[in-house]
Amino acid sequence: MAMSKSTNTYNRQNWEDSDFPILCQTCLGDNPYIRMTKEKYGKECKICCRPFTVFRWCPGSRMRFKKTEICQTCSKLKNVCQTCLLDLEYGLPIQVRDAALKIQDDLPRNEVNKEYYIQNLDSQMSKFDPTQPSNSALKSKGASDLLLRLARTAPYYKRNRPHVCSFWVKGECRRGEECPYRHEKPTDPDDPLADQNIKDRYYGVNDPVAEKLMRRAAAMPALPPPEDRTVTTLYIGNLPDNVTEDELRGHFYQYGEIRCLTLVPRAQCAFVQYTTRSAAEHAAEKTFNRLVIGGKRLTIKWGKSQGRQGVNEKSDMPALEPVPGLPGALPPPPPAFLHPFPPQMPPPPNRPNDFFNLQHYAGPGWGWAPPPGLHYPSQDPARLGAHAHANAPQT
């Protein structure tokens, strides 16, 4: 029986052959000694339908095997990973990146036009640097505030976990710990994140992950400046362990003149004080939820006013509701207890401490004399250690 042949069957010179895939750090994994299998012209690209070289590998222990899904031409056209289709620079979906950079997608959707467009693009990319994205819009656009807030700063290896074991969900898995799949409860099948189309993700339309990130960006908190205009200090938290004062000063001096910078390595924080309020507001606006040093996103807050610090701390305390079932507050004490000495008891005289009553033998130079008639025989030095019968009066 005769089989119909597509145009790609006759255009073998346009098939893609590569030695290494274009991957993000998350899909590549944390294993530096990774091993890959290479299958020349193993599958068709899910975007342009041209055969390409397929790579398959395991990112790490207890991870599922991954493989490339699109060809390198389509990957360079959008500057995305061949496996997860996320942006190589920010780790975000194409829809989020294009919305932040205001890039219009002009790729053809028709199969014939798409094939012609990809072939012409292949010939153009062979004349330029293969490590750079072929889309001129991505080269000219700089990073926007939305991308800096949503960009992932570290690899997310949790995305490489195995799939959920369907036999375990039915209660029929007998492999136990040797099962290569996860024994966890699956997600809700009605969840929109569970139904994703790879073409929609590539063209940046109807992507549920992108819509979730856009809603998160809209709900992100802002950093309003304090009412006290004398506050020009910013608190910088979540600092890396090896950060230096010169490195922080190099990041913050571009927003204005710095009066002083105090680094507290033990608490992993710093305080940056500017000479003007406008410079501090400019630095807070440009660095809030955007500044990343040493792979860690820094925490930016306004410093507290020294004059109103105690007042702000008291006013920020929320009013607590009384616990039901407990007795009420005690009545106030009577006025007699509020006075240090009751009216019927006079205060003690203002005199020096005389616990052992030795002022009696000090002489007139002490300025105080014991009251007359006050004598304790037990304090007489002449009678210390004497027997009672020896000191008894003779008759």
Side-chain angles (χ1 to χ4, degrees):
M1 181 177 179
M3 300 292 293
S4 61
K5 298 181 179 181
S6 62
T7 310
N8 288 326
T9 307
Y10 303 99
N11 297 335
R12 289 181 178 269
Q13 67 274 11
N14 296 323
W15 292 4
E16 181 183 281
D17 184 16
S18 55
D19 296 329
F20 197 82
I22 301 176
L23 301 174
C24 62
Q25 190 174 356
T26 301
C27 293
L28 192 59
D30 56 348
N31 183 12
Y33 306 102
I34 191 172
R35 293 183 297 179
M36 290 187 178
T37 60
K38 174 183 176 181
E39 185 180 2
K40 194 173 182 180
Y41 311 139
K43 292 187 65 177
E44 287 186 353
C45 175
K46 295 185 177 180
I47 304 300
C48 64
C49 302
R50 294 189 309 163
F52 72 105
T53 303
V54 178
F55 294 88
R56 189 173 182 269
W57 72 99
C58 183
S61 59
R62 304 295 300 176
M63 300 293 179
R64 74 175 187 271
F65 277 83
K66 310 192 76 173
K67 57 183 177 62
T68 52
E69 304 290 345
I70 62 175
C71 64
Q72 291 195 4
T73 304
C74 296
S75 173
K76 294 177 183 178
L77 186 61
K78 290 283 190 175
N79 193 34
V80 295
C81 173
Q82 283 188 261
T83 301
C84 63
L85 272 70
L86 296 180
D87 185 78
L88 293 174
E89 184 176 357
Y90 303 104
L92 297 173
I94 299 176
Q95 184 175 346
V96 177
R97 184 200 63 189
D98 292 353
L101 299 179
K102 299 179 181 179
I103 299 176
Q104 298 293 334
D105 185 16
D106 55 351
L107 295 180
R109 302 294 194 272
N110 186 273
E111 295 295 334
V112 178
N113 295 339
K114 186 193 308 180
E115 184 178 351
Y116 178 75
Y117 181 84
I118 293 296
Q119 289 182 4
N120 292 338
L121 191 64
D122 253 344
S123 59
Q124 294 178 7
M125 285 192 300
S126 60
K127 305 176 183 178
F128 300 101
D129 186 7
T131 61
Q132 299 294 330
S134 61
N135 196 339
S136 58
L138 296 177
K139 298 178 183 179
S140 59
K141 297 286 185 178
S144 66
D145 298 341
L146 179 62
L147 292 181
L148 293 178
R149 289 201 304 265
L150 296 178
R152 187 175 293 278
T153 59
Y156 186 63
Y157 296 124
K158 189 178 178 180
R159 199 170 65 218
N160 300 333
R161 294 183 305 168
H163 296 293
V164 177
C165 180
S166 59
F167 288 91
W168 182 84
V169 175
K170 302 175 184 177
E172 300 176 359
C173 184
R174 300 179 181 179
R175 287 186 282 188
E177 296 182 356
E178 297 180 356
C179 182
Y181 299 97
R182 282 188 294 150
H183 288 182
E184 296 180 6
K185 184 179 179 181
T187 57
D188 186 8
D190 297 334
D191 188 3
L193 297 179
D195 185 16
Q196 302 182 29
N197 189 354
I198 188 171
K199 289 190 176 181
D200 290 344
R201 292 177 54 197
Y202 184 81
Y203 292 116
V205 293
N206 300 327
D207 188 356
V209 179
E211 294 175 357
K212 179 181 178 181
L213 290 176
M214 297 293 285
R215 290 194 300 267
R216 182 189 301 176
M220 274 188 174
L223 186 64
E227 298 179 359
D228 189 359
R229 299 290 300 179
T230 61
V231 178
T232 59
T233 305
L234 295 179
Y235 165 82
I236 317 299
N238 196 29
L239 292 176
D241 297 333
N242 56 351
V243 69
T244 61
E245 183 176 343
D246 295 338
E247 188 175 0
L248 286 178
R249 191 178 295 273
H251 279 86
F252 286 94
Y253 87 97
Q254 55 183 326
Y255 306 112
E257 183 180 356
I258 297 177
R259 177 173 298 171
C260 66
L261 191 149
T262 306
L263 180 62
V264 188
R266 181 177 300 179
Q268 294 183 345
C269 67
F271 296 91
V272 181
Q273 184 179 11
Y274 287 91
T275 56
T276 59
R277 175 59 178 261
S278 59
E281 292 181 357
H282 183 53
E285 179 184 358
K286 293 296 182 181
T287 59
F288 180 66
N289 278 343
R290 302 171 192 169
L291 184 58
V292 178
I293 297 180
K296 299 179 68 176
R297 189 184 302 273
L298 305 189
T299 303
I300 309 297
K301 295 181 181 179
W302 280 96
K304 294 184 179 180
S305 175
Q306 298 295 332
R308 303 186 59 184
Q309 186 171 0
V311 178
N312 294 338
E313 291 178 356
K314 293 180 181 179
S315 61
D316 292 342
M317 292 292 294
L320 301 178
E321 297 292 336
V323 180
L326 294 181
L330 296 176
F337 289 94
L338 299 178
H339 198 275
F341 299 100
Q344 65 272 13
M345 181 182 297
N350 188 12
R351 58 190 180 186
N353 187 13
D354 189 19
F355 182 77
F356 294 101
N357 198 16
L358 299 179
Q359 303 282 357
H360 180 66
Y361 307 98
W366 284 74
W368 178 80
L374 184 61
H375 177 70
Y376 297 96
S378 60
Q379 297 181 356
D380 190 356
R383 299 187 61 183
L384 292 179
H387 296 283
H389 65 278
N391 296 329
Q394 298 181 2
T395 56

